[in-house]
Amino acid sequence: MGIKAHTHTIIVVSDTICPWCFIGKRKLEAALQIVADRGFDFDVEWRPYQLNPDMPDKGMDRREYRAAKFGSIATSDEMDARVKEAGVEFGIDFHFDRIARTPNTLASHVLIADARRAGGTSLQSQVVELLFQAYFTEGRDIGRSEVLQEIAFAAGFVHGPSVSAELWELVEQEAESARRSGVRAVPTFLLDDHLLFAGAQPVQAIALALLRATERRDPSQMAAAR
């Protein structure tokens, strides 16, 4: 075990209905274990992005939406099959057949921001995990307020009508800021607000990117951990 280095913050820009973001979360966790064994400590903060910012508030029938977006149900099903296969390696049991609707994800991002307010980045990551599981393995509609309240309860805090208008505005601003900054694909990973890479990269590649970026920012601590 190396000397514990300064804690850096990894920012993950993601959407709660992006299956590659779920896989990317698993890959990041595996990479963080690799770098932790070398004495490096990272916080992980989740920031919002909406793949479908114009989605109606109540969402849409998923099959209809996907057929319109990708040209056919067959193409959508093929894409789902590839994602399902990719998830197996990381312990994710995707059940796209259980998903009836594609939701508007803004409210789920407000829940994630509320979790950060209530318990910091650790609780936030727990809620992100619960949202992914609810949508991708249980087929729950994470655009519905009662579902979001149940997820918050499972994580150990209260989320509901008392959430401030300011928090909604903050989430909308963060999502818009990501779009203005050039984010076009999720997950996108940043270290201390500097772009690392986009997409669910291989675990070793993530670990190497973290180590190299840390070395550029703090070469003395990198040398101490060797």
Side-chain angles (χ1 to χ4, degrees):
M1 176 69 71
I3 299 172
K4 182 66 72 176
H6 179 268
T7 299
H8 294 271
T9 300
I10 300 166
I11 294 172
V12 186
V13 181
S14 74
D15 200 359
T16 50
I17 58 166
C18 166
W20 291 107
C21 293
F22 195 2
I23 293 172
K25 182 177 186 292
R26 286 283 196 274
K27 290 185 173 184
L28 175 62
E29 289 165 350
L32 288 175
Q33 185 57 58
I34 293 173
V35 298
D37 291 342
R38 297 190 58 175
F40 291 91
D41 189 24
F42 294 88
D43 284 334
V44 179
E45 180 179 331
W46 295 81
R47 298 271 182 89
Y49 190 87
Q50 285 192 280
L51 290 168
N52 313 303
D54 299 322
M55 179 66 66
D57 289 344
K58 293 185 178 180
M60 293 179 60
D61 178 271
R62 184 177 189 266
R63 289 181 71 80
E64 291 180 7
Y65 170 74
R66 299 268 296 183
K69 183 173 183 177
F70 299 114
S72 70
I73 286 296
T75 300
S76 173
D77 289 345
E78 289 171 5
M79 295 174 69
D80 285 348
R82 289 197 295 270
V83 172
K84 184 175 178 65
E85 183 178 357
V88 171
E89 180 182 355
F90 296 95
I92 302 172
D93 187 14
F94 284 104
H95 276 283
F96 296 106
D97 56 304
R98 297 175 180 171
I99 303 174
R101 299 187 69 76
T102 297
N104 182 302
T105 59
L106 183 61
S108 65
H109 287 301
V110 172
L111 172 61
I112 293 169
D114 197 25
R116 185 172 66 199
R117 175 203 58 78
T121 56
S122 177
L123 182 61
Q124 187 187 42
S125 288
Q126 181 183 351
V127 166
V128 169
E129 177 73 21
L130 290 173
L131 281 164
F132 281 147
Q133 290 179 1
Y135 185 66
F136 288 115
T137 68
E138 300 168 16
R140 301 175 74 188
D141 185 349
I142 59 171
R144 296 174 60 187
S145 60
E146 59 267 34
V147 172
L148 299 178
Q149 290 169 16
E150 289 167 4
I151 290 171
F153 181 79
F157 73 105
V158 176
H159 172 82
S162 62
V163 173
S164 68
E166 288 79 8
L167 190 62
W168 281 84
E169 291 172 6
L170 173 64
V171 169
E172 291 178 318
Q173 289 168 3
E174 287 183 339
E176 181 58 29
S177 176
R179 197 171 293 276
R180 284 199 312 267
S181 69
V183 174
R184 293 293 179 267
V186 287
T188 290
F189 298 83
L190 304 95
L191 181 64
D192 299 331
D193 281 318
H194 296 276
L195 178 66
L196 279 175
F197 52 81
Q201 303 293 322
V203 171
Q204 290 291 342
I206 295 174
L208 184 59
L210 290 173
L211 292 172
R212 285 178 172 172
T214 302
E215 184 174 32
R216 287 195 297 271
R217 286 162 180 73
D218 202 343
S220 62
Q221 289 182 348
M222 186 73 178
R226 287 194 175 107

